[in-house]
Amino acid sequence: MDLNTDEDEHSIEMHLPYIAQVMASRKGNFKIVPILVGGLTPEKEQLFGQLLSHYLADPENLFVVSSDFCHWGKRFQYTYHEKSHGAIHQSTEALDRMGMEIIEKLQHMEFTQYLKKYRNTICGRHAIGVLLSTVQDWQKKDPSVKLSMRFVQYAQSNRVTRDSDSSVSYASASLVVR
């Protein structure tokens, strides 16, 4: 990765303070292995999913996957607005929630099709694709494993009502082994 890309990348920096707090009781007894996922084809997402499924299946490991959701506005070169959903911020939320529902179903190829159809500017879409592929590979190897993905929080940086506004959406989810 070149210096400019490294300086622009901020996902791990956003999570390290939280991870340090949550893992404080295990200080010195865990390692962080960052994996930066760039632009991948769906086939490469599946390949990485196969490589990582063994690690996801190990209860000693914790995966943190980071992504914003829709980046809406002219500065992001994305201005999708389905007027039947109401104001721009409502349309954006409906679009994001559509993607979130697919992610909750743990369906990699359906998520890929959603992205292709709507071009939603989910910056970590490939990391999410790798996670979905990892889950599917784990379930293929062990059909008895039961996993549940649920989104627990959704927010937008701005309630966009005008074409000149912009916003970034945020969502938090949890993948649980049942």
Side-chain angles (χ1 to χ4, degrees):
M1 158 178 5
D2 65 37
L3 183 59
N4 288 334
T5 301
D6 185 36
E7 289 177 350
D8 287 343
E9 177 51 44
H10 61 274
S11 59
I12 194 165
E13 293 168 7
M14 304 300 285
H15 292 286
L16 286 177
Y18 173 75
I19 293 169
Q21 179 67 33
V22 169
M23 300 299 287
S25 66
R26 293 185 168 190
K27 186 175 181 180
N29 296 319
F30 70 94
K31 294 179 184 175
I32 294 176
V33 180
I35 301 173
L36 182 64
V37 178
L40 298 175
T41 64
E43 296 76 23
K44 291 284 188 187
E45 292 172 356
Q46 289 173 333
L47 174 64
F48 284 109
Q50 291 168 2
L51 294 171
L52 293 171
S53 65
H54 170 77
Y55 298 100
L56 185 63
D58 183 342
E60 292 293 312
N61 293 327
L62 170 69
F63 278 53
V64 177
V65 178
S66 176
S67 177
D68 300 334
F69 267 69
C70 187
H71 292 63
W72 194 96
K74 291 177 184 168
R75 71 184 179 125
F76 300 118
Q77 301 171 348
Y78 189 76
T79 55
Y80 176 86
H81 180 198
E82 175 56 55
K83 292 179 178 28
S84 67
H85 290 292
I88 296 167
H89 68 89
Q90 294 166 313
S91 172
T92 300
E93 181 170 351
L95 178 68
D96 283 337
R97 290 202 182 272
M98 189 184 323
M100 291 160 62
E101 287 174 17
I102 294 167
I103 294 167
E104 286 183 336
K105 292 189 293 184
L106 302 171
Q107 294 299 313
H108 175 245
M109 290 315 294
E110 189 176 342
F111 183 63
T112 299
Q113 292 164 353
Y114 157 84
L115 292 169
K116 187 174 184 179
K117 180 176 182 178
Y118 294 101
R119 317 288 297 162
N120 194 348
T121 52
I122 300 171
C123 61
R125 61 192 168 277
H126 298 297
I128 294 169
V130 169
L131 176 65
L132 295 175
S133 292
T134 303
V135 165
Q136 287 182 329
D137 191 69
W138 181 13
Q139 290 177 315
K140 186 170 113 181
K141 290 174 181 171
D142 183 358
S144 69
V145 71
K146 302 293 183 224
L147 300 167
S148 174
M149 172 80 80
R150 293 289 168 256
F151 279 85
V152 296
Q153 187 69 26
Y154 177 82
Q156 294 175 351
S157 63
N158 185 26
R159 292 175 57 90
V160 174
T161 57
R162 300 176 312 213
D163 289 344
S164 59
D165 288 343
S166 64
S167 179
V168 177
S169 303
Y170 307 96
S172 299
S174 175
L175 177 67
V176 177
V177 180
R178 294 182 276 145

